[in-house]
Amino acid sequence: DAGVIQSPRHEVTEMGQEVTLRCKPISGHDYLFWYRQTMMRGLELLIYFNNNVPIDDSGMPEDRFSAKMPNASFSTLKIQPSEPRDSAVYFCASSGGTEVTDTQYFGPGTRLTVL
Amino acid sequence: SQKIEQNSEALNIQEGKTATLTCNYTNYSPAYLQWYRQDPGRGPVFLLLIRENEKEKRKERLKVTFDTTLKQSLFHITASQPADSATYLCALQMDSNYQLIWGAGTKLIIKP
C-alpha cells in the first residue's frame, strides 16, 4: 500500500484566498483524522471521521475551516478565507481498526504558507 | 485541561549509549500513552503504546515505562545509533476516545 497520500505537499497562497487540502487514506481504513502542527502549538487534532461521518470537529478553529469526506477514499480540508495565522503543516492520518488503540498512520503533510 | 510536557531542549547522546526521553502530564492519567517518531518533513510514525495498567513495554531496542503516580512516561532507546536521531512525540489517549493529546516533542541527536 502507498500509505496515506496528501496533496499538495506545499501550498503558498495569499491572505483571503481559498485553500483546499486533499487526503487519500489507506485503503480499508475507516477512521480519518486531520491534524495541524505548528512550532507554537504542536500537533492539534482538528477533526476526525468514522465511515465518512464527522465524529468530532471540536478542534476546528473557526468557521473558516471545513472538512468533508464524500467517500471512503477521499477527504478535503478547506480554509476560506485563509489568514497568515493558518500557516502550518497539515497532516492527515488514517486508522483501520475498531479499537481506539489502533495505530494512526500519518501522511507526509501539506506545508501551508499564507502570505 | 490536560497538559503534557516533554523536554523542550534537544537531547544530545553519544552513539551506543542509552537515550532517555521524558513525558510528564498533569491532571488525570490517560488510559493509554503512545510514543511516535517524527523525522523532518514527514508525519509521525507510531512506535509503542502502553496502557495505564502496564508498567513497562519493550520492542527491540525501545522501552517505555508508565508511572501513574509520578504522572510520567519514560522512553528509552538502548544502544543508540545516529539513525535514531529524530523528534519523539508522546501522546495521551483517554479511554474510548480516539482523540490524542500531543506533547511538543523532544529532538534527539545521536552523535557518532
Side-chain angles (χ1 to χ4, degrees):
Chain A
D1 198 317
V4 176
I5 299 172
Q6 291 187 248
S7 64
R9 291 295 310 277
H10 302 274
E11 177 80 30
V12 180
T13 190
E14 294 191 347
M15 182 174 62
Q17 297 298 306
E18 177 180 298
V19 175
T20 299
L21 311 181
R22 297 171 176 79
C23 174
K24 176 178 168 54
I26 292 173
S27 178
H29 282 189
D30 51 8
Y31 281 88
L32 184 139
F33 307 82
W34 281 103
Y35 289 90
R36 177 173 68 177
Q37 187 175 40
T38 62
M39 289 294 292
M40 290 296 294
R41 300 175 67 89
L43 203 58
E44 303 172 282
L45 176 66
L46 301 177
I47 184 172
Y48 78 90
F49 296 82
N50 177 220
N51 291 323
N52 313 338
V53 176
I55 302 301
D56 186 346
D57 65 353
S58 59
M60 296 285 263
E62 301 171 32
D63 291 344
R64 299 184 296 105
F65 286 70
S66 62
K68 294 182 180 180
M69 192 165 185
N71 57 62
S73 59
F74 184 66
S75 177
T76 59
L77 178 68
K78 186 176 293 186
I79 308 173
Q80 166 63 17
S82 58
E83 297 182 3
R85 60 193 168 120
D86 301 330
S87 297
V89 180
Y90 290 81
F91 289 102
C92 175
S94 70
S95 176
T98 56
E99 298 295 325
V100 70
T101 54
D102 285 323
T103 300
Q104 293 184 21
Y105 295 85
F106 283 75
T110 295
R111 181 174 293 277
L112 173 65
T113 302
V114 183
L115 303 175
Chain B
S1 62
Q2 186 75 281
K3 290 186 179 179
I4 304 170
E5 293 180 356
Q6 292 188 255
N7 308 44
S8 57
E9 296 183 5
L11 185 63
N12 288 275
I13 299 294
Q14 194 67 39
E15 181 179 7
K17 301 292 186 183
T18 297
T20 299
L21 285 71
T22 304
C23 176
N24 295 301
Y25 59 91
T26 60
N27 300 335
Y28 39 85
S29 288
Y32 316 101
L33 194 148
Q34 302 189 22
W35 282 88
Y36 286 75
R37 168 182 173 143
Q38 186 173 22
D39 291 283
R42 294 177 177 266
V45 175
F46 172 78
L47 295 174
L48 280 169
L49 177 148
I50 188 166
R51 292 173 165 77
E52 63 175 334
N53 62 351
E54 297 176 322
K55 297 295 185 185
E56 182 179 298
K57 199 76 157 298
R58 292 176 182 262
K59 179 183 177 182
E60 299 174 350
R61 295 185 296 111
L62 309 180
K63 184 179 81 171
V64 172
T65 62
F66 193 3
D67 189 326
T68 55
T69 301
L70 294 178
K71 296 187 178 181
Q72 180 182 78
S73 175
L74 298 178
F75 177 81
H76 306 270
I77 305 175
T78 59
S80 59
Q81 305 166 1
D84 296 325
S85 298
T87 295
Y88 291 84
L89 303 162
C90 71
L92 275 57
Q93 187 174 17
M94 306 312 295
D95 195 19
S96 301
N97 190 336
Y98 282 84
Q99 180 166 135
L100 296 176
I101 305 169
W102 295 82
T106 297
K107 185 174 183 179
L108 176 64
I109 301 170
I110 306 298
K111 296 182 175 181

